[in-house]
Amino acid sequence: MATTGRVTLPIEQGMGDQLPGLLSRLGADAVRNSDGTWLPEITPQLGVKVYETYFPARGNQEFALAHLDARPRFYLMSERVTAPSAEPLAIDIMKGYYTLQVEPDQGDYQRWWEVIDRTTGEVVPVEGWSVTGEGSDVTVTIAEPVAFHVYTVSFLSWQVWDSTQMYNYTTNNWENDPTRVREIGYDVRHPEAWEFMMSSLRTWCEERPEVNVVRFTTFFYHFTLVFNDLGKEKYVDWFGYSASVSPLAMDAFEAEYGYKLRAEDFIDEGYYNNSFRVPTKVFRDWIDFQSRFVCARVKELVDIVHEFDKEALMFLGDTWMGTEPYGKYFAETGMDGVVGSVGSAATCRMISDIPGVKYTEGRFLPYFFPDVFKPGGDPLGEANESWLQARRAISRKPLDRIGYGGYLSLAVQFPDFMARIEQIANEFRSIHEVGHGHLAERSTIRVGVLNAWGELRKWQTHMVAHALWYKQIYSYLGVLESLAGLPFDLQFVSFEDAINGRLDDLDVVLNVGAAGTAFSGGDTWLDPELQGVLRRFVGNGGGLIGIGEPTAVLKGGAYFQLSDVLGVDKELGFSQSSDRYPVETPEHFITADLKGALDVGEGAGDIFATTRDTAILRLQNRSVELAANQAGEGRGVYIAGLPYSHDNARLLHRAIYWAADREADFDHQWIPSNPGVEVAVFEQAGKALVMNNLTGAASTTLTGRTSGLEGDGELRELQLDLEPMESRWIDLA
Amino acid sequence: MATTGRVTLPIEQGMGDQLPGLLSRLGADAVRNSDGTWLPEITPQLGVKVYETYFPARGNQEFALAHLDARPRFYLMSERVTAPSAEPLAIDIMKGYYTLQVEPDQGDYQRWWEVIDRTTGEVVPVEGWSVTGEGSDVTVTIAEPVAFHVYTVSFLSWQVWDSTQMYNYTTNNWENDPTRVREIGYDVRHPEAWEFMMSSLRTWCEERPEVNVVRFTTFFYHFTLVFNDLGKEKYVDWFGYSASVSPLAMDAFEAEYGYKLRAEDFIDEGYYNNSFRVPTKVFRDWIDFQSRFVCARVKELVDIVHEFDKEALMFLGDTWMGTEPYGKYFAETGMDGVVGSVGSAATCRMISDIPGVKYTEGRFLPYFFPDVFKPGGDPLGEANESWLQARRAISRKPLDRIGYGGYLSLAVQFPDFMARIEQIANEFRSIHEVGHGHLAERSTIRVGVLNAWGELRKWQTHMVAHALWYKQIYSYLGVLESLAGLPFDLQFVSFEDAINGRLDDLDVVLNVGAAGTAFSGGDTWLDPELQGVLRRFVGNGGGLIGIGEPTAVLKGGAYFQLSDVLGVDKELGFSQSSDRYPVETPEHFITADLKGALDVGEGAGDIFATTRDTAILRLQNRSVELAANQAGEGRGVYIAGLPYSHDNARLLHRAIYWAADREADFDHQWIPSNPGVEVAVFEQAGKALVMNNLTGAASTTLTGRTSGLEGDGELRELQLDLEPMESRWIDLA
Ligand SMILES: [Mg+2]
Ligand SMILES: [Mg+2]
Ligand SMILES: [Mg+2]
């Protein structure tokens, strides 16, 4: 079934003859350049859409050097320094930072800098410390420290080098390339910079009639990315706003919100409001303030693009602070599309679920770069892995387009890879074609993920750097990864939303994460109103699934504040005196497809059942790893961790049905007996897509109704033998 | 080297002829009866001291039944009950309790009971709840609960059955023995009970001229031991004071201390002030109050014993609340000796280090009971294990006596066992004889264990039930077990002591335990003064060794409040954005004898180095398990956990030398190359005891000075081949 469209291919100079054939083979209807490649002259004759990359806030070094006061800034904290005595304490604030990236901004430092006694939390008055030195050699001296207290200096600094360009520069050894400079950015708040951004874009559009799509990479404020004194990454937060600050912005904030910002509002004890921190009101205000401003300015750039009859496409990442696509103001930008890197099913859904744009596009892996496309590299394997992950997500909520990046000239040297992405393109298009614009059917069980961020960070929970593995997140990310390919209508609900009645729209709520984090909720759970809302929800028949350390904060004799609903709590050492006689119930609806051991990843420590009524489904080394609890009319399920696996996705699928008290419906919903296989039902088309997620062949039985997922048609049972990674359309009737 | 004395043997009726021979073989100079055995008529003719067991606060059922108002009480908490609505909420307060043990005491319940909204922490006013029912069927009804809040009832209850006797009764199936009754205790606070206790003891002494030693088991208030509705242990805290309460005592307390006690002062959110909780001021006051009272009454009983020219010996355990032997008032009781069960080196030191008594005695394992002394049982193996553990402790600080318990008639059926305990008795006596009353030499490095309890709970940290294994304690108990056999002068120092200057007497401080517990310190570490005292100590050249989650409480950007000293902190999820580049330093003084992997038991989660200067000695799964940090003039060492093993004891030995900056002295202190071997040096005797702690043969080299542990004599090097478990005296010169 060869089809065309929905695919973007990177092209480059010197491949002119091959391009028409390649485009046709892949059915590509758009081309793009990449970092370090230029579109060939033949481009306008290819008969496809043309994308070109655009950087609004960097790239013109001449402007940047002429307006050093327009450079963006960071809020940074010095090392923690212990005063060894009451003698004056000198703190080298740049210790550990990279002088090529960071330079303290001494302008009005008494207003913007802060010295804090971290032992007491008290601010040292500005009269109590002084600044000496200049450039990147700056010392703060505390005149009369308290002996043995720990001090830090929070300081505003210039971004001397754009973080993304710096990353590319150091990663690709551009120091050996005399044509490369260290690019300096400019802050959109600066009036001249803003004027320059608008006029530059206009000129750029004028000069490029052949370009159909301006691919913004991205806009104004980089996520927090700071390097250390050895030029290696020191701090990375894909959601960080520490690089969005400036006195201009903070003054404007004060004028609007009526209160002064402090350095500590950004420094946050050195945690920099990373997304694991339960967000403060001030930080939420700042996100709102900057997002509103950034989106308004983005809209003006998009308007310019539209003036030239081009489309505006935003790359999701890099300089994206303020344009978070699930934010309140993003839709107002008028952006035509969003493109992002697909590293998993969850990141795929993060893109494909974005509301208010005409199209979404996923840039697939691998990037056509020499690190993979080399002798001994395995581009085919990486393409397969990426596709198997993304396909789960696409079958539930398709991207509108897919694409690749890098050097096409490298990829064509791997014919089996090219053949495979041709298949993938066709497989991808078939989902659109069979679906005819309808989504795959979803269970009527409405599921919500409850945390401090809610909708703003949809599909973006438990992430540090974009799509990278961290030890403390993978056991929770697996929940999102599982859900990204399961047939549920998923909402992301904040605690505030919950209090405002949003749970009324849900059947099952998930609270997932480590104690104290924004994803579990930390102190927020001390609010009796929040607890009450959840208990009422469960009291009315709802289901609560807690994973890791849900609702955890020590108070009143409980650590999991909803231990009464979940039927379990965590032992911190205080209740060891209570004897426990745990009995495992190995056979249960939730574990019916789990043949081997349950993999809870890092687990959650020592979990115990709070009553004899709690069904302990898995007990390991005296700790409960999986439990099911009838709590009045509703139900609680506890899982110690859920790294992604086929088995764990199936376990979660079942846990949701159990929590919703809907076990009876489960078996007739086209559930494959083999957890390595998943099915997406397209009822309007009378078809279902059966996907073998395994890299080996898979056999499975499949039972469902001729009428679709939850209809009342006849029951059918199929026996299927699937090739490795195969997806197959079957007729429901 | 056959010697005599210092050994107590249990004897029983029907063995008359064998006894003189057995006593002589073992060199026993004392005999005792056991639970359920009686001394034979020949006893006075054996020419040895005679012990007999005595229970002051139970045993006379006639008195008990005639004075039911003298029964001791418990403070207990109901289950946590969630109000499903605002309708009246009925709580069955006895749910989960054993009606044969517990009966609510409804006397003046409005004064002594408390209903608490655990969701808010607020007390429900007495007008807001009512009590119905009687006996053990009692309901508390909250008239107007807040829907979805969690409630508990704290209630005073009678102890209907003595906890120890109940344990023996149910364990030995005495319900089938018509001669057994369920014994009821009586509270020494009750004036008639006290009069009765004194007169009974006097009569008892009068009637037993043949008894030399009254073995009190123990006195008045049992540690907290509560059974569940199935008659199984529900709650056990060997240090618990929940069973020491009564209105009389609480009123007396109020009169003396000037403030009213509340139920919550004992209930403590359901944690019952167990020894892992950082003790409140009120609870400390209560311990002080009861200990003073109990010790005063004990003194009166001891005086009676002395009147009859008998000795008073206290069994350390059971009904021992208020007579904690490291407490302030214990020495004033005039007690002659303390006997306790030896379950490890640490419990051995817990007994042998008791100050102010004429002698200490360890009751060794195995007890001569049919569970071990049966076909297929391994009494010999248990005796060896017990002895290897105890010998380490005895070589540092000997017990004055050892003994056994149970049925001698069983033991004699195992001749190899009898031969072995004959050897053990001789080995034990040799330590006294060679030492001539001098202790083995100790390092001049003064070591302190710092926690909330200090001296009061010397050798008693991290214990739930006496000497039982718990998952959350073994990784810390290993520290005590190691120290019990290492040549250090060990002090137990409270945080208050530290603030009051006690660290001046120390060279190395250990802080050991799980976050939030009394042993780590919890919120206590928020006190800048405490932090300052420790930093000053290290600043002056001291060493701090943190094990597990030392100084842990989240504040000001750190979790380990002394992370600057330790060089490590724990990742709770908030600082994942900070990149880390840990490099292991596998070769170090501390790990020089560690051939295999480091066993940290349960570990402590994700530990990271806070600076590049921290030497990471062991890194496992991205987490630091062992680190060494130079902190100014002093040093910090971090260990993630230290379950007891020969290797870990050696590691701690070295860590202390390193922390004290005394590595140079280490090698010449008669340190065996084989960590399974230890040496105790008796300088005055010019001898050293070399102990093979292994159950197999061991070869080792041994280097030391002819002048003893830290003298300046000549260096000698020996090569020793030791038999399994052998101890051997060598001449130093
Ligand atoms: Mg955790
Ligand atoms: Mg812990
Ligand atoms: Mg020193």
Side-chain angles (χ1 to χ4, degrees):
Chain A
M1 181 159 72
T3 52
T4 60
R6 298 188 180 277
V7 173
T8 305
L9 206 63
I11 61 173
E12 62 190 285
Q13 290 171 349
M15 297 191 67
D17 295 351
Q18 300 176 63
L19 287 178
L22 285 167
L23 292 172
S24 146
R25 222 182 122 185
L26 290 162
D29 59 351
V31 295
R32 55 168 289 208
N33 71 330
S34 295
D35 295 347
T37 66
W38 288 264
L39 294 168
E41 292 199 10
I42 190 185
T43 306
Q45 284 83 57
L46 292 171
V48 294
K49 260 186 169 175
V50 176
Y51 296 10
E52 197 166 325
T53 295
Y54 188 81
F55 303 96
R58 67 165 160 118
N60 190 310
Q61 196 74 349
E62 197 183 338
F63 176 85
L65 289 170
H67 299 82
L68 290 178
D69 62 331
R71 288 175 299 183
R73 291 172 177 84
F74 285 125
Y75 248 129
L76 297 175
M77 189 180 86
S78 75
E79 283 198 328
R80 299 165 62 86
V81 178
T82 305
S85 71
E87 296 299 301
L89 179 68
I91 299 179
D92 171 6
I93 64 172
M94 281 290 289
K95 187 166 175 211
Y97 290 107
Y98 197 36
T99 54
L100 289 178
Q101 187 194 24
V102 172
E103 182 183 304
D105 170 12
Q106 298 194 36
D108 201 4
Y109 66 80
Q110 292 200 331
R111 165 68 182 98
W112 300 117
W113 295 20
E114 237 172 22
V115 177
I116 295 185
D117 177 341
R118 294 292 175 189
T119 302
T120 62
E122 283 161 20
V123 176
V124 179
V126 290
E127 307 78 40
W129 50 276
S130 55
V131 179
T132 50
E134 56 188 27
S136 58
D137 186 15
V138 175
T139 298
V140 168
T141 303
I142 303 166
E144 296 178 339
V146 182
F148 308 116
H149 284 215
V150 175
Y151 291 90
T152 62
V153 178
S154 305
F155 60 102
L156 210 51
S157 74
W158 298 109
Q159 298 184 34
V160 183
W161 191 354
D162 176 82
S163 298
T164 290
Q165 202 256 351
M166 176 176 185
Y167 176 82
N168 292 337
Y169 188 105
T170 55
T171 306
N172 294 311
N173 297 312
W174 287 348
E175 66 273 15
N176 304 322
D177 177 352
T179 71
R180 301 286 183 175
V181 295
R182 297 197 198 94
E183 288 186 11
I184 300 168
Y186 14 97
D187 185 340
V188 65
R189 286 267 172 193
H190 191 282
E192 285 171 74
W194 172 233
E195 288 304 322
F196 178 73
M197 285 180 198
M198 288 193 292
S199 62
S200 309
L201 177 61
R202 193 174 289 280
T203 307
W204 189 92
C205 287
E206 272 166 8
E207 289 171 352
R208 283 167 183 76
E210 76 280 10
V211 171
N212 308 102
V213 178
V214 183
R215 190 181 187 275
F216 285 102
T217 307
T218 318
F219 290 100
F220 312 126
Y221 297 118
H222 208 282
F223 64 83
T224 312
L225 180 61
V226 182
F227 290 73
N228 72 13
D229 52 342
L230 306 175
K232 292 165 81 175
E233 188 181 280
K234 177 183 175 71
Y235 184 93
V236 59
D237 175 11
W238 199 53
F239 304 92
Y241 278 79
S242 297
S244 76
V245 289
S246 63
L248 221 48
M250 292 187 281
D251 285 338
F253 179 97
E254 183 182 342
E256 180 176 340
Y257 286 77
Y259 65 89
K260 268 192 163 44
L261 290 167
R262 293 174 48 192
E264 186 65 5
D265 293 325
F266 298 93
I267 296 299
D268 180 29
E269 303 181 350
Y271 302 123
Y272 298 104
N273 300 307
N274 73 78
S275 70
F276 291 80
R277 295 281 283 174
V278 176
T280 61
K281 165 148 192 327
V282 178
F283 185 55
R284 289 170 171 287
D285 283 350
W286 180 258
I287 293 177
D288 193 75
F289 169 75
Q290 282 294 58
S291 296
R292 194 154 22 84
F293 171 79
V294 164
C295 286
R297 295 259 153 130
V298 168
K299 181 184 188 316
E300 295 193 55
L301 298 186
V302 170
D303 285 348
I304 292 171
V305 170
H306 287 169
E307 263 180 53
F308 288 88
D309 276 335
K310 300 180 194 304
E311 290 176 356
L313 179 66
M314 178 179 93
F315 176 71
L316 182 63
D318 293 350
T319 321
W320 71 304
M321 302 336 294
T323 62
E324 296 191 63
Y326 296 98
K328 280 194 286 193
Y329 309 108
F330 179 70
E332 296 169 13
T333 60
M335 192 72 59
D336 296 291
V338 176
V339 58
S341 173
V342 173
S344 62
T347 51
C348 189
R349 287 293 291 273
M350 174 175 78
I351 301 163
S352 66
D353 276 8
I354 293 172
V357 290
K358 298 194 193 82
Y359 61 98
T360 59
E361 180 169 323
R363 197 199 64 205
F364 272 40
L365 297 174
Y367 212 75
F368 304 167
F369 260 11
D371 54 342
V372 173
F373 289 83
K374 67 178 179 191
D378 184 22
L380 179 61
E382 294 200 19
N384 283 333
E385 189 187 337
S386 169
W387 176 239
L388 287 183
Q389 290 173 351
R391 187 176 66 187
R392 295 183 63 240
I394 290 169
S395 73
R396 303 299 169 194
K397 179 69 189 283
L399 296 160
D400 295 294
R401 307 181 53 80
I402 62 174
Y404 291 89
Y407 309 131
L408 185 58
S409 56
L410 279 177
V412 295
Q413 296 169 36
F414 291 77
D416 54 350
F417 172 80
M418 293 302 294
R420 180 59 177 139
I421 66 172
E422 183 182 335
Q423 288 171 348
I424 287 173
N426 284 324
E427 211 176 329
F428 168 68
R429 283 184 292 253
S430 85
I431 294 173
H432 280 279
E433 282 157 17
V434 177
H436 282 299
H438 295 293
L439 294 180
E441 208 181 344
R442 295 177 183 187
S443 164
T444 51
I445 301 173
R446 300 159 302 170
V447 180
V449 172
L450 178 67
N451 60 45
W453 291 111
E455 180 75 9
L456 175 66
R457 300 273 164 87
K458 188 167 184 174
W459 297 112
Q460 294 164 26
T461 64
H462 304 95
M463 221 191 282
V464 180
H466 179 265
L468 291 190
W469 187 94
Y470 282 75
K471 186 182 180 192
Q472 294 217 341
I473 69 176
Y474 77 91
S475 310
Y476 306 127
L477 274 180
V479 177
L480 280 291
E481 188 66 7
S482 296
L483 290 168
L486 290 176
F488 294 107
D489 178 28
L490 189 66
Q491 307 198 36
F492 286 75
V493 178
S494 72
F495 298 120
E496 206 181 328
D497 293 339
I499 287 173
N500 291 331
R502 275 284 299 283
L503 302 191
D504 295 348
D505 305 331
L506 298 175
D507 300 300
V508 174
V509 167
L510 284 83
N511 181 234
V512 182
T517 63
F519 306 113
S520 170
D523 286 352
T524 314
W525 285 108
L526 295 180
D527 179 4
E529 191 178 1
L530 177 63
Q531 292 187 25
V533 160
L534 267 289
R535 288 199 177 97
R536 184 184 303 276
F537 168 75
V538 174
N540 290 337
L544 174 65
I545 300 180
I547 299 177
E549 297 175 320
T551 78
V553 53
L554 188 67
K555 156 133 193 197
Y559 187 50
F560 294 172
Q561 287 299 309
L562 294 179
S563 58
D564 54 327
V565 173
L566 297 166
V568 297
D569 204 342
K570 177 165 171 167
E571 178 58 73
L572 300 182
F574 305 123
S575 50
Q576 297 179 85
S577 287
S578 292
D579 291 272
R580 287 163 193 146
Y581 303 94
V583 178
E584 204 178 45
T585 306
E587 304 284 321
H588 191 276
F589 171 79
I590 293 175
T591 54
D593 295 327
L594 186 67
K595 302 303 174 214
L598 173 63
D599 176 10
V600 296
E602 297 295 304
D606 292 321
I607 307 296
F608 61 91
T610 49
T611 75
R612 277 179 214 149
D613 297 331
T614 306
I616 300 173
L617 308 188
R618 286 293 183 275
L619 186 71
Q620 188 70 30
N621 193 13
R622 299 177 187 231
S623 180
V624 176
E625 297 196 330
L626 178 63
N629 187 45
Q630 185 74 41
E633 295 296 305
R635 287 175 166 184
V637 174
Y638 174 78
I639 315 176
L642 200 86
Y644 180 73
S645 69
H646 308 306
D647 282 339
N648 279 353
R650 174 61 59 86
L651 186 103
L652 183 60
H653 196 165
R654 285 182 165 275
I656 291 170
Y657 268 79
W658 189 84
D661 205 0
R662 290 275 301 276
E663 305 97 286
D665 298 333
F666 185 78
D667 285 334
H668 301 148
Q669 311 230 345
W670 296 102
I671 305 291
S673 57
N674 184 336
V677 177
E678 288 180 315
V679 175
V681 172
F682 292 78
E683 199 189 352
Q684 289 92 340
K687 286 183 188 295
L689 181 66
V690 183
M691 295 166 285
N692 177 9
N693 295 333
L694 305 171
T695 52
S699 294
T700 189
T701 58
L702 193 58
T703 316
R705 296 197 185 272
T706 55
S707 52
L709 199 62
E710 296 196 345
D712 54 2
E714 277 169 46
L715 269 180
R716 280 182 72 198
E717 181 174 299
L718 299 173
Q719 174 64 38
L720 294 177
D721 298 300
L722 299 160
E723 298 292 313
M725 303 180 282
E726 180 184 354
S727 72
R728 186 187 299 178
W729 288 99
I730 60 167
D731 290 321
L732 294 180
Chain B
M1 185 162 64
T3 52
T4 61
R6 298 186 179 278
V7 172
T8 305
L9 206 62
I11 61 173
E12 63 191 286
Q13 290 172 348
M15 295 192 67
D17 294 350
Q18 300 176 63
L19 286 178
L22 285 166
L23 291 172
S24 148
R25 222 181 123 185
L26 290 163
D29 59 352
V31 295
R32 55 168 289 209
N33 71 330
S34 295
D35 296 348
T37 66
W38 288 266
L39 294 169
E41 292 199 8
I42 190 186
T43 305
Q45 284 82 57
L46 292 172
V48 294
K49 261 186 170 175
V50 177
Y51 296 11
E52 195 166 325
T53 296
Y54 189 79
F55 304 96
R58 66 165 161 117
N60 190 310
Q61 196 74 348
E62 198 182 339
F63 176 85
L65 288 170
H67 299 83
L68 290 178
D69 63 332
R71 289 173 298 183
R73 291 171 177 85
F74 285 125
Y75 249 128
L76 298 176
M77 190 180 86
S78 75
E79 283 199 326
R80 299 165 62 86
V81 178
T82 306
S85 70
E87 296 299 301
L89 179 68
I91 299 180
D92 172 6
I93 63 171
M94 280 290 290
K95 189 167 174 209
Y97 290 107
Y98 197 36
T99 55
L100 289 178
Q101 187 194 24
V102 174
E103 183 183 304
D105 170 11
Q106 297 194 37
D108 200 5
Y109 65 82
Q110 293 199 332
R111 166 68 182 97
W112 301 116
W113 296 21
E114 237 172 18
V115 177
I116 295 185
D117 177 340
R118 293 291 176 190
T119 302
T120 63
E122 283 162 20
V123 175
V124 179
V126 290
E127 307 77 40
W129 51 275
S130 55
V131 179
T132 51
E134 56 188 29
S136 59
D137 186 15
V138 175
T139 298
V140 168
T141 303
I142 303 165
E144 296 178 339
V146 182
F148 307 116
H149 284 214
V150 175
Y151 291 90
T152 63
V153 178
S154 305
F155 60 103
L156 209 52
S157 75
W158 298 108
Q159 298 184 34
V160 182
W161 192 353
D162 176 82
S163 297
T164 291
Q165 203 257 350
M166 177 178 185
Y167 175 83
N168 292 337
Y169 189 105
T170 55
T171 305
N172 294 312
N173 299 311
W174 288 348
E175 66 274 15
N176 303 322
D177 177 351
T179 70
R180 301 287 182 176
V181 295
R182 296 195 199 96
E183 288 184 11
I184 300 169
Y186 15 97
D187 186 340
V188 65
R189 285 267 173 196
H190 191 281
E192 287 172 72
W194 171 232
E195 289 304 323
F196 178 74
M197 286 180 199
M198 288 192 293
S199 63
S200 309
L201 177 60
R202 193 174 290 278
T203 307
W204 189 92
C205 286
E206 273 165 9
E207 289 171 352
R208 283 168 183 75
E210 75 280 12
V211 170
N212 308 101
V213 179
V214 184
R215 190 181 188 275
F216 285 102
T217 308
T218 318
F219 289 100
F220 312 126
Y221 296 119
H222 207 281
F223 65 82
T224 313
L225 179 62
V226 182
F227 290 74
N228 72 14
D229 52 341
L230 305 174
K232 293 165 81 176
E233 189 182 279
K234 177 183 175 70
Y235 185 92
V236 59
D237 174 12
W238 199 54
F239 303 92
Y241 278 78
S242 297
S244 75
V245 289
S246 64
L248 222 48
M250 292 187 282
D251 285 338
F253 179 97
E254 183 182 341
E256 179 175 341
Y257 287 76
Y259 65 88
K260 268 192 162 44
L261 290 167
R262 293 174 48 193
E264 186 65 6
D265 292 326
F266 299 93
I267 297 299
D268 180 28
E269 303 182 350
Y271 302 122
Y272 298 104
N273 300 308
N274 73 77
S275 69
F276 291 80
R277 296 281 283 174
V278 176
T280 61
K281 161 136 192 343
V282 178
F283 185 55
R284 288 171 172 286
D285 283 351
W286 180 258
I287 292 177
D288 193 74
F289 169 75
Q290 282 293 59
S291 297
R292 195 154 20 87
F293 172 78
V294 164
C295 286
R297 294 259 152 133
V298 168
K299 181 185 188 317
E300 296 194 53
L301 298 186
V302 171
D303 286 348
I304 292 170
V305 171
H306 287 168
E307 264 180 53
F308 288 87
D309 276 334
K310 300 180 195 300
E311 291 177 358
L313 179 66
M314 178 179 93
F315 176 72
L316 182 63
D318 292 352
T319 321
W320 71 304
M321 302 336 295
T323 62
E324 298 191 61
Y326 296 97
K328 280 194 285 193
Y329 308 107
F330 180 70
E332 296 169 14
T333 60
M335 192 72 60
D336 297 289
V338 176
V339 58
S341 173
V342 173
S344 61
T347 52
C348 189
R349 286 294 292 272
M350 173 175 79
I351 301 163
S352 66
D353 276 7
I354 292 172
V357 289
K358 298 195 192 82
Y359 60 97
T360 58
E361 178 168 324
R363 197 199 63 207
F364 273 40
L365 298 173
Y367 213 73
F368 305 166
F369 260 12
D371 54 344
V372 173
F373 289 82
K374 66 179 179 192
D378 184 21
L380 181 60
E382 294 199 19
N384 283 332
E385 188 186 338
S386 170
W387 176 239
L388 288 183
Q389 290 173 352
R391 187 176 64 187
R392 295 184 62 242
I394 289 169
S395 74
R396 303 299 168 193
K397 179 69 190 282
L399 296 160
D400 296 294
R401 305 183 53 80
I402 63 174
Y404 291 89
Y407 309 131
L408 185 59
S409 56
L410 278 177
V412 294
Q413 295 168 38
F414 291 76
D416 54 350
F417 171 80
M418 293 303 293
R420 180 61 178 137
I421 66 173
E422 184 182 333
Q423 289 172 346
I424 287 173
N426 284 324
E427 209 175 331
F428 168 68
R429 282 185 292 255
S430 84
I431 293 173
H432 280 279
E433 283 157 17
V434 177
H436 281 299
H438 295 292
L439 294 180
E441 207 182 345
R442 296 178 181 187
S443 164
T444 51
I445 300 173
R446 299 160 303 170
V447 180
V449 173
L450 177 67
N451 60 45
W453 291 110
E455 180 74 9
L456 175 65
R457 300 275 164 86
K458 188 168 185 173
W459 296 110
Q460 295 163 27
T461 63
H462 305 95
M463 221 191 282
V464 180
H466 179 265
L468 292 189
W469 187 94
Y470 284 75
K471 186 183 180 192
Q472 294 216 340
I473 69 177
Y474 77 92
S475 311
Y476 306 126
L477 274 179
V479 176
L480 281 291
E481 188 66 6
S482 297
L483 289 169
L486 290 176
F488 294 107
D489 177 29
L490 189 66
Q491 307 199 37
F492 286 75
V493 178
S494 72
F495 298 120
E496 208 181 327
D497 293 338
I499 287 173
N500 292 330
R502 276 285 299 282
L503 302 190
D504 295 347
D505 306 329
L506 297 175
D507 299 299
V508 174
V509 167
L510 284 83
N511 181 236
V512 182
T517 64
F519 305 113
S520 170
D523 286 352
T524 314
W525 285 109
L526 295 180
D527 179 6
E529 190 178 0
L530 177 63
Q531 292 188 25
V533 161
L534 267 290
R535 288 199 178 97
R536 183 183 304 274
F537 169 74
V538 175
N540 290 339
L544 174 66
I545 300 180
I547 298 176
E549 297 175 321
T551 79
V553 52
L554 188 65
K555 155 131 193 201
Y559 188 51
F560 294 172
Q561 286 299 310
L562 293 180
S563 57
D564 54 328
V565 173
L566 297 166
V568 298
D569 203 343
K570 177 166 169 165
E571 179 57 74
L572 299 182
F574 306 124
S575 49
Q576 297 178 84
S577 287
S578 293
D579 291 273
R580 288 161 194 149
Y581 303 94
V583 178
E584 204 177 44
T585 305
E587 304 285 321
H588 191 275
F589 170 80
I590 294 175
T591 54
D593 294 328
L594 186 66
K595 302 304 173 210
L598 173 63
D599 176 10
V600 296
E602 298 294 304
D606 293 320
I607 307 295
F608 61 91
T610 50
T611 75
R612 279 180 214 148
D613 297 331
T614 306
I616 300 172
L617 308 188
R618 286 295 183 275
L619 186 71
Q620 188 69 30
N621 193 14
R622 298 175 188 234
S623 181
V624 176
E625 297 195 330
L626 178 63
N629 188 45
Q630 185 74 40
E633 294 297 305
R635 287 174 164 185
V637 174
Y638 175 78
I639 315 176
L642 199 86
Y644 180 72
S645 69
H646 308 306
D647 282 338
N648 278 352
R650 173 61 60 87
L651 187 103
L652 184 59
H653 196 166
R654 285 183 164 274
I656 290 169
Y657 267 79
W658 190 84
D661 204 0
R662 291 276 299 276
E663 305 98 287
D665 297 332
F666 185 78
D667 284 335
H668 302 149
Q669 312 231 343
W670 297 102
I671 305 292
S673 57
N674 184 338
V677 177
E678 288 180 314
V679 176
V681 172
F682 291 78
E683 200 189 352
Q684 289 92 339
K687 287 182 187 293
L689 181 65
V690 183
M691 296 167 283
N692 177 9
N693 295 333
L694 306 170
T695 52
S699 293
T700 189
T701 58
L702 192 58
T703 317
R705 298 198 183 272
T706 55
S707 53
L709 200 62
E710 296 196 345
D712 54 4
E714 278 169 44
L715 269 181
R716 280 184 72 198
E717 184 174 297
L718 300 173
Q719 174 65 37
L720 296 177
D721 298 301
L722 298 160
E723 297 293 311
M725 303 179 283
E726 181 184 354
S727 72
R728 185 187 301 178
W729 289 99
I730 59 167
D731 289 321
L732 293 181

